[in-house]
Amino acid sequence: MPKLELSKQLMIRGVSLRQLQVFLAVYQHHSITEAAKGLHLTQPTVSIQLKKLSEQLRTPLYQVHHKKMVFTESAAILANYASEMLRNAELLEMELANLRELKSGTLKIAVVTTAQYFIPHIVGPFLRQHPFVDMQLTVVNRQQILERLNRGLDDIYVVSHLPESPPIHSQEFLENPLYLVAEAHHPLMAHPNLKLNDIANEPFILREPGSGTRLALEKNLRELGVQLNIRMVIESNEAIRECVAAGLGVSILSEHALKLGSDDRLKILPVKELPIVTHWHFVWPQHRNTSIVARAFIDYLGNDYLAPHSQLSASSP
């Protein structure tokens, strides 16, 4: 019987690993009696398993000639497959045991661009606790995060605005204040009691449509009835900072993207209605089984991280 045909039958007929184990013991001992002893089964039980296996595969596995078992060519092919499958089953069991003990595995996290400034400080202690766990970190914009979430490409996602779909679990973990920033010597720096209306005519540099920062700002502007003078739309926080530092306009950025301590070219404008305070969330899909490593990370967030670190200072990232 060709190997391909036998392989198909193995998959279609639902042969169990136990049946393969019994068959392989008989094949190796050339004896039902000896196989039964080694497996701690009765001879009738072994014989029944062999008969059932032969019927499932629709091919004879052995004949009795002069009181000796003579195996067919199908049995020889099956023995090769059975050995491989049982070895793989053992390896699978070992791998799963390692995962349960976090001796292996990869944690896949996708974050929006602003979150890249602080997420290493959150994940770092978890990885130090579990040195055999790897991390795959993907940094993309919000639209790409939503696409990855819908496709289930990652274990955990970090967003500042919760998506409407698909159904998710979420855990709030960190404030995300948004500040208005300008070039350090901007004339408005000397203006007392600034309001958003006072900067309505200033050239404004904005994040791309759909970004969490832009969504929060637009919601705030609608509530206040303020319209801005949009000069540029840029997808990168770093590029926005450079444009603001060059005097090309003002912008609103997350505290975590500012890193003001290392860039004295920018200053926060003291606007009465600001900061806009949103929150960061860890998100994972409801419809997908959570991996062992991801479950351990979620538990770590609840037990080890969130309680003592509900706030991060701007200097942490």
Side-chain angles (χ1 to χ4, degrees):
M1 179 177 291
K3 289 185 178 182
L4 180 58
E5 182 181 347
L6 180 56
S7 176
K8 286 181 179 179
Q9 288 188 19
L10 277 171
M11 292 184 288
I12 295 171
R13 299 297 173 183
V15 174
S16 70
L17 290 177
R18 184 58 170 168
Q19 285 176 298
L20 295 179
Q21 187 181 39
V22 169
F23 162 75
L24 200 56
V26 174
Y27 187 83
Q28 291 169 345
H29 286 95
H30 277 70
S31 167
I32 291 177
T33 302
E34 293 301 317
K37 288 180 182 178
L39 295 170
H40 303 290
L41 298 173
T42 64
Q43 291 184 42
T45 298
V46 173
S47 296
I48 290 170
Q49 290 279 17
L50 282 181
K51 183 175 183 296
K52 184 178 179 181
L53 180 60
S54 180
E55 291 172 350
Q56 287 176 293
L57 298 178
R58 294 186 294 183
T59 184
L61 297 175
Y62 70 94
Q63 299 171 347
V64 178
H65 185 67
H66 296 303
K67 297 184 179 181
K68 291 184 178 181
M69 298 186 74
V70 179
F71 291 97
T72 64
E73 183 180 357
S74 294
I77 295 172
L78 178 59
N80 287 332
Y81 275 90
S83 297
E84 184 71 20
M85 292 174 72
L86 290 172
R87 278 196 299 270
N88 285 336
E90 290 178 1
L91 291 174
L92 173 61
E93 188 174 5
M94 292 172 59
E95 289 289 340
L96 292 178
N98 282 339
L99 275 177
R100 285 191 294 271
E101 298 173 10
L102 294 184
K103 292 182 179 178
S104 66
T106 300
L107 177 64
K108 298 179 180 180
I109 301 180
V111 306
V112 292
T113 52
T114 305
Q116 67 182 304
Y117 301 111
F118 60 80
I119 200 66
H121 299 274
I122 297 176
V123 181
F126 174 79
L127 295 179
R128 286 192 288 273
Q129 288 178 22
H130 308 289
F132 299 107
V133 172
D134 300 321
M135 181 178 70
Q136 178 180 309
L137 180 64
T138 303
V139 181
V140 290
N141 63 31
R142 178 178 168 82
Q143 183 58 43
Q144 291 168 314
I145 282 283
L146 297 180
E147 292 172 2
R148 295 182 70 88
L149 175 61
N150 277 290
R151 294 170 61 189
L153 297 182
D154 311 277
D155 297 314
I156 305 289
Y157 303 83
V158 177
V159 295
S160 60
H161 279 69
L162 294 176
E164 296 181 359
S165 64
I168 57 168
H169 297 291
S170 66
Q171 193 160 333
E172 182 182 299
F173 70 99
L174 183 64
E175 282 190 354
N176 181 34
L178 305 177
Y179 290 96
L180 189 71
V181 293
E183 187 269 329
H185 303 292
H186 195 286
L188 286 177
M189 288 295 175
H191 195 298
N193 303 316
L194 275 176
K195 296 182 179 179
L196 277 174
N197 266 325
D198 297 323
I199 57 100
N201 294 323
E202 292 292 323
F204 203 92
I205 304 169
L206 197 59
R207 284 292 302 266
E208 76 281 4
S211 93
T213 299
R214 179 161 176 164
L215 288 172
L217 176 61
E218 288 176 340
K219 178 177 182 293
N220 189 267
L221 293 175
R222 284 194 302 271
E223 292 173 352
L224 296 174
V226 176
Q227 288 189 335
L228 298 178
N229 173 27
I230 308 300
R231 170 71 64 83
M232 300 181 192
V233 175
I234 301 178
E235 293 188 9
S236 162
N237 288 324
E238 287 78 7
I240 289 177
R241 286 171 51 194
E242 291 302 317
C243 289
V244 171
L248 299 180
V250 299
S251 185
I252 192 162
L253 288 172
S254 166
E255 178 181 64
H256 304 290
L258 290 176
K259 298 184 179 178
L260 293 179
S262 59
D263 193 345
D264 56 7
R265 301 174 300 165
L266 305 179
K267 296 293 182 183
I268 291 176
L269 283 170
V271 179
K272 180 181 178 181
E273 297 93 341
L274 299 180
I276 301 169
V277 179
T278 61
H279 288 83
W280 292 105
H281 302 264
F282 285 108
V283 166
W284 59 100
Q286 288 185 10
H287 62 267
R288 180 183 175 190
N289 290 331
T290 308
S291 72
I292 294 172
V293 172
R295 186 72 258 167
F297 181 67
I298 292 167
D299 291 342
Y300 154 79
L301 292 176
N303 298 329
D304 298 332
Y305 176 78
L306 292 183
H309 298 91
S310 58
Q311 300 287 330
L312 280 180
S313 66
S315 59
S316 294

